[in-house]
Amino acid sequence: MNYHITYGTSNYLKTLSEKFEGEDGSFYLLEGAEDAALIHKTEKESLFESGHSYEAIEEAGGFEGAEYIVFNNIPVSSEGRPLFEDRFKQRAGKVEHEPGCTGIIILRPKDSETYLVSSMWKDESDFEAWRQSSSFEKAHKQKDTSEALPQTVFTGKPYIKSYRIIDTQ
């Protein structure tokens, strides 16, 4: 499954999603503190003139029932991709089983080096509760230890962006 994401203002992306109404796939309009994002989930190529394209390498659950979306942006070197993907396929904690989590999608970039680990939540408080939980601690226990992935796997520091779903079609 392909995920194509473009960014801009909420108004512009709403107009863009209306333009593509009736096209194959699903569209999700997200609004964050700094920008908005439009996601197109489809088997086909991107309809967007700009943005990024990804291939889902693992999906559990989904957007249905979610109001709060978190993108963990992780820059990974081309040499580090197999190791990174293997680690995520064996990830501890299995966040999708946490209260309030509706799903997780691991997205491999087609046109950049930044993976997106997208988790979907019923609301922000569910995400914050997970971040304070022993499950979160277990899932991240190898960080800064000899069990962690080598720093050479990464080409930059990961960062998180969060959004609210404001429209779907």
Side-chain angles (χ1 to χ4, degrees):
M1 183 60 64
N2 296 314
Y3 286 80
H4 309 289
I5 305 174
T6 192
Y7 298 90
T9 65
S10 295
N11 289 339
Y12 171 73
L13 295 177
K14 176 79 171 160
T15 302
L16 193 60
S17 71
E18 290 168 355
K19 174 184 171 184
F20 294 128
E21 196 167 325
E23 290 287 344
D24 181 58
S26 303
F27 290 86
Y28 304 95
L29 180 57
L30 314 178
E31 188 171 65
E34 300 170 4
D35 62 0
L38 181 61
I39 300 172
H40 181 208
K41 176 182 176 182
T42 180
E43 294 287 343
K44 297 182 178 180
E45 294 304 310
S46 181
L47 299 171
F48 305 143
E49 290 182 26
S50 65
H52 296 288
S53 293
Y54 303 87
E55 174 187 7
I57 58 172
E58 186 173 346
E59 288 187 71
F63 289 92
E64 292 70 29
E67 290 183 13
Y68 189 72
I69 310 300
V70 178
F71 288 160
N72 190 355
N73 297 263
I74 307 172
V76 176
S77 68
S78 57
E79 300 83 15
R81 283 181 173 216
L83 188 56
F84 176 81
E85 290 180 15
D86 184 61
R87 178 65 58 93
F88 260 93
K89 288 177 182 175
Q90 298 176 31
R91 61 189 162 51
K94 301 285 185 181
V95 68
E96 65 271 20
H97 300 296
E98 294 298 313
C101 183
T102 67
I104 186 168
I105 306 169
I106 313 298
L107 297 171
R108 176 192 296 134
K110 291 184 169 187
D111 55 9
S112 75
E113 61 185 18
T114 303
Y115 280 73
L116 279 188
V117 179
S118 179
S119 59
M120 288 71 75
W121 301 86
K122 290 181 181 172
D123 59 45
E124 185 176 2
S125 64
D126 289 321
F127 172 70
E128 292 302 331
W130 173 68
R131 287 186 59 164
Q132 302 302 317
S133 73
S134 60
S135 296
F136 178 88
E137 189 175 309
K138 179 182 175 189
H140 295 87
K141 71 180 179 184
Q142 293 178 341
K143 185 180 178 191
D144 299 326
T145 72
S146 62
E147 300 291 317
L149 289 172
Q151 286 303 306
T152 55
V153 167
F154 306 102
T155 60
K157 292 205 176 284
Y159 60 95
I160 290 179
K161 292 185 85 172
S162 58
Y163 297 91
R164 297 197 181 289
I165 294 182
I166 58 173
D167 196 19
T168 62
Q169 70 177 39

